[in-house]
Amino acid sequence: EVQLVESGGGLVQPGGSLRLSCAASGFSFDKYEMNWVRQAPGKGLEWVAYINSGGSAIHYAQSVRGRFTISRDNAKNSLFLEMNSLRAEDTAVYYCARDGGNWYFDFWGQGTLVSVSS
Amino acid sequence: QSVLTQPPSVSGAPGQRVTISCTGSNSNIGAGHYVHWYQQVPGTAPKLLIYSNTRRPSGVPDRFSGSKSGTSASLAITGLQAEDEADYYCHSYDNELSGGAFGGGTKLTVL
């Protein structure tokens, strides 16, 4: 069974940093592209970042470029999102999602909440 | 403003058919990129409903179908059931963004 479990969310002050993790199991993690998607309270889905299976190709949404860093550790079946210079507008539930190909996300984690507030 | 435009809400009675539109541009849907659809019950993670324009993942009822034409796509739900009440999102790749683009979401109410 495919499972994605996010962790690392919490309350952080504006300008602060946070590192999210996503533990993958039930599939060959090193063969799949992965993404982070977020959802602000009461709002829609927003794609955040993409990384290919080997970690050599990375893309970011304009809203987080230069502040967030996506990475992965295939030996540990883990995906990460390093978030710096956090702003109030980064407050959201962050989901990791497996890319099934052609940019469709076939499995999602349960999400982890990041709250940016003083 | 979302790159892909969806109606904020649609509604229908049990048993009826509803459609949800997704309008894009020549940098996403019109560029030939696939359209995917997700269903999200509030408080839960999104679930893949339709991928690659028309394909259904295993376990998704055939009451759900997708189509694409030009710069737009549609999700159709027939035989509406109470359990279909949820938010629905379209999704595609966008050349200008060099990444994914979601529609703003459509809330389906089953009357």
Side-chain angles (χ1 to χ4, degrees):
Chain A
E1 178 194 5
V2 172
Q3 281 201 321
L4 297 169
V5 180
E6 301 94 337
S7 60
L11 176 63
V12 61
Q13 292 189 336
S17 300
L18 215 51
R19 188 189 198 215
L20 305 184
S21 300
C22 172
S25 61
F27 66 101
S28 298
F29 180 72
D30 60 354
K31 290 182 170 47
Y32 284 86
E33 300 156 324
M34 298 294 295
N35 291 265
W36 287 98
V37 176
R38 68 183 181 183
Q39 186 170 35
K43 302 297 184 182
L45 301 173
E46 179 188 14
W47 169 76
V48 173
Y50 156 95
I51 187 168
N52 72 346
S53 58
S56 61
I58 286 173
H59 298 290
Y60 297 101
Q62 180 64 42
S63 58
V64 306
R65 197 169 296 149
R67 300 187 299 122
F68 289 13
T69 302
I70 187 173
S71 63
R72 63 191 296 161
D73 185 338
N74 285 345
K76 295 184 178 179
N77 292 337
S78 294
L79 177 72
F80 306 102
L81 186 67
E82 187 78 38
M83 304 185 295
N84 298 316
S85 303
L86 283 162
R87 307 166 180 167
E89 54 265 36
D90 295 319
T91 294
V93 173
Y94 285 73
Y95 297 99
C96 67
R98 191 181 83 167
D99 196 318
N102 292 321
W103 279 82
Y104 68 86
F105 303 157
D106 57 356
F107 287 94
W108 298 62
Q110 84 290 347
T112 186
L113 176 62
V114 172
S115 296
V116 184
S117 174
S118 54
Chain B
Q1 246 77 344
S2 300
V3 172
L4 304 179
T5 301
Q6 299 179 232
S9 63
V10 297
S11 62
Q16 285 190 332
R17 177 181 187 269
V18 296
T19 61
I20 299 173
S21 61
C22 175
T23 302
S25 68
N26 288 327
S27 69
N28 40 69
I29 299 174
H33 295 300
Y34 288 111
V35 179
H36 321 296
W37 292 89
Y38 304 87
Q39 178 192 60
Q40 185 182 34
V41 174
T44 70
K47 169 191 168 185
L48 180 65
L49 203 60
I50 297 288
Y51 68 100
S52 300
N53 301 334
T54 60
R55 304 186 69 174
R56 277 188 311 275
S58 173
V60 173
D62 59 6
R63 301 186 297 106
F64 296 89
S65 63
S67 64
K68 174 189 166 182
S69 178
T71 58
S72 296
S74 288
L75 173 71
I77 309 172
T78 59
L80 209 53
Q81 299 180 4
E83 67 202 50
D84 299 332
E85 192 161 283
D87 296 318
Y88 293 82
Y89 294 90
C90 61
H91 173 222
S92 185
Y93 180 84
D94 187 276
N95 291 336
E96 292 182 6
L97 300 178
S98 295
F102 284 97
T106 298
K107 180 177 180 57
L108 169 62
T109 300
V110 180
L111 302 171

